[in-house]
């Protein structure tokens, strides 16, 4: 299943996404974590030092390799150069699986050893000085969107994406690629403003959105969040000595995380699993096509010199058949 963590800058979304990743690893889940924030801090939150974080390969720099691999033998895609971030898979395309080894993971993912298991970590790459004035950060995030469009994920497999802050997630169709979106909100007016914006933008696309209240210190904070976000409030998280030690670079073993916070993380996992069980594969594929056609008409056709609408395979649906095929069962 695919899970996004979003929220305004400073809300604690990277910290909470890292805790959730650790929780999944402790539950023996298979996890691919992706740092898609313009400020790349997920590696550090997962225990990497500065040199290790800086050494993470940038997905944006590997975009030609990603396109060439995913293109496969799809006859509708004339060349990797004509693929854009929204290009959907079709017959002949290569699909990604969480547990497999493939050239994209070889080039872009690194194994991170946590207390209770290993996860794969990928990063879009930071916005560098050479990008200033000539590039858009969403071009880097496009590598993530392309991979998500071609990913086949089963119920015990997780892709957790720490998204860029605020409502920038809506600069493409990537916000529809997730079974569950957790919006991290502090109990302040600014803290819930991103929620209102996200809720409004996502309303027509069937996005499953739950709010995680962070830095909640008492009943007044809880009452405020309940009044502002209503039934979308899933859980709240308060002060954590474990997190404070982690932020100082001296974390205890994850099993010592406070019981209330462990229960909150389990509630997140339960909500994600419930959402995955309701996934509408047909709608998921149609949304890919919808945003691809919009991007093709807006800028993609002109940039590539090709009719990108022709890349759409009208008979292709990314669905459970590919999970069964991976397991060696009849499709």
């Amino acid at each position: 299943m695919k899970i996004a963590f979003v929220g305004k800058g400073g809300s604690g979304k990277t910290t909470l996404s890292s805790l959730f990743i650790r929780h999944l690893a402790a539950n023996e889940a298979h996890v691919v974590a992706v740092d898609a924030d313009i400020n790349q801090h997920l590696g550090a939150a997962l225990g990497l030092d500065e040199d290790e974080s800086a050494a993470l390969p940038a997905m944006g720099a590997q975009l030609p390799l990603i396109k060439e691999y995913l293109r496969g033998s799809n006859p509708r895609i004339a060349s990797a150069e004509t693929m854009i971030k929204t290009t959907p898979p079709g017959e002949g395309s290569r699909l990604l699986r969480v547990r497999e080894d493939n050239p994209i993971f070889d080039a872009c993912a690194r194994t991170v050893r946590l207390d209770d298991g290993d996860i794969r970590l990928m990063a879009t790459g930071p916005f560098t000085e050479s990008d200033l004035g000539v590039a858009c950060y969403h071009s880097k995030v496009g590598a993530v969107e392309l991979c998500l469009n071609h990913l086949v994920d089963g119920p015990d497999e997780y892709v957790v994406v720490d998204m860029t802050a605020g409502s920038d997630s809506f600069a493409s169709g990537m916000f529809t690629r997730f079974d569950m979106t957790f919006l991290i909100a502090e109990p302040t007016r600014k803290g819930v403003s991103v929620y209102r914006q996200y809720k409004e933008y996502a309303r027509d696309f069937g996005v499953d959105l739950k709010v995680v209240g962070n830095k909640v210190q008492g009943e007044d904070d809880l009452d405020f969040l309940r009044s502002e976000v209503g039934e979308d409030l899933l859980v709240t998280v308060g002060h954590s000595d474990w997190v404070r030690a982690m932020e100082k670079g001296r974390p205890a073993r994850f099993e010592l995380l406070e019981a209330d916070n462990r229960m909150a993380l389990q509630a997140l996992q339960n909500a994600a699993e419930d959402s995955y069980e309701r996934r509408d594969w047909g709608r998921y594929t149609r949304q890919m096509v919808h945003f691809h056609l919009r991007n093709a008409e807006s800028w993609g056709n002109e940039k590539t010199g090709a009719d990108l609408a022709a890349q759409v395979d009208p008979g292709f649906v990314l669905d459970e058949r590919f999970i069964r095929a991976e397991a060696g069962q009849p499709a």
Side-chain angles (χ1 to χ4, degrees):
M1 61 200 73
K2 305 179 182 78
I3 298 162
F5 280 79
V6 301
K8 78 174 185 65
S11 64
K13 68 179 181 62
T14 296
T15 296
L16 283 169
S17 60
S18 72
L19 292 178
F20 186 61
I21 291 163
R22 291 176 185 269
H23 168 80
L24 294 175
N27 285 352
E28 300 183 346
H30 301 274
V31 182
V32 173
V34 183
D35 191 344
D37 196 350
I38 191 170
N39 298 305
Q40 305 265 284
H41 297 310
L42 184 58
L46 290 170
L48 300 186
D49 62 30
E50 289 186 10
D51 290 340
E52 291 170 328
S53 294
L56 289 172
M59 293 181 69
Q62 297 294 334
L63 199 50
L65 179 151
I66 292 171
K67 290 179 177 180
E68 189 60 52
Y69 180 78
L70 296 178
R71 175 190 170 214
S73 59
N74 187 334
R76 296 176 179 273
I77 302 176
S79 67
E81 289 74 21
T82 62
M83 293 179 74
I84 61 174
K85 62 182 181 179
T86 54
T87 297
E91 194 67 34
S93 296
R94 288 194 180 98
L95 302 177
L96 300 177
R97 275 97 176 165
V98 169
R99 304 190 211 184
E100 71 178 356
D101 294 320
N102 58 56
I104 293 178
F105 286 157
D106 289 344
C108 302
R110 293 296 179 263
T111 298
V112 176
R113 301 192 180 281
L114 303 176
D115 291 344
D116 300 294
D118 298 345
I119 61 103
R120 277 174 164 154
L121 175 61
M122 305 171 75
T124 57
F127 199 68
T128 64
E129 185 175 346
S130 62
D131 296 320
L132 294 176
V134 297
C136 170
Y137 187 69
H138 301 116
S139 64
K140 297 176 182 289
V141 179
V144 181
E145 184 170 358
L146 196 56
C147 287
L148 291 176
N149 279 353
H150 289 75
L151 184 83
V152 179
D153 51 318
D156 58 342
E157 300 169 336
Y158 293 79
V159 177
V160 181
V161 183
D162 181 18
M163 297 282 282
T164 191
S167 57
D168 282 355
S169 307
F170 291 95
S172 72
M174 195 162 78
F175 72 96
T176 66
R177 300 299 82 204
F178 301 102
D179 297 293
M180 177 58 70
T181 297
F182 292 123
L183 190 146
I184 313 305
E186 299 170 83
T188 64
R189 285 190 296 175
K190 286 184 178 180
V192 299
S193 64
V194 173
Y195 159 76
R196 293 199 190 95
Q197 202 171 25
Y198 215 104
K199 183 83 171 178
E200 178 67 24
Y201 289 161
R203 179 171 296 163
D204 297 330
F205 294 94
V207 172
D208 236 338
L209 177 68
K210 291 295 180 184
V211 173
V212 180
N214 194 26
K215 306 176 186 178
V216 174
Q217 298 182 7
E219 284 298 320
D220 187 63
D221 285 349
L222 183 57
D223 290 344
F224 174 81
L225 287 172
R226 284 173 174 162
S227 67
E228 294 293 327
V229 308
E231 63 183 15
D232 285 339
L233 182 63
L234 178 64
V235 292
T236 62
V237 179
H239 172 78
S240 170
D241 289 333
W242 192 96
V243 169
R244 181 60 61 86
M246 180 268 288
E247 290 174 340
K248 294 176 180 176
R250 302 195 298 266
R253 286 192 58 83
F254 185 66
E255 63 191 21
L256 298 178
L257 180 70
E258 298 85 358
D260 288 350
N261 291 331
R262 291 294 292 267
M263 290 176 62
L265 294 172
Q266 185 60 53
L268 268 60
Q269 184 176 1
N270 293 344
E273 290 175 350
D274 289 345
S275 183
Y276 178 84
E277 290 177 1
R278 300 191 303 271
R279 180 189 287 181
D280 183 337
W281 293 87
R283 183 181 70 185
Y284 187 81
T285 303
R286 289 193 299 274
Q287 287 176 337
M288 274 194 278
V289 171
H290 169 77
F291 283 104
H292 179 62
L293 294 178
R294 286 183 58 178
N295 278 267
E297 183 178 354
S298 175
W299 60 270
N301 290 343
E302 181 178 356
K303 179 177 181 179
T304 63
D307 177 13
L308 300 186
Q311 294 180 343
V312 175
D313 185 341
F316 184 88
V317 177
L318 188 68
D319 59 22
E320 297 99 327
R321 292 173 301 154
F322 299 101
I323 299 175
R324 292 195 295 269
E326 180 186 9
Q329 301 171 4

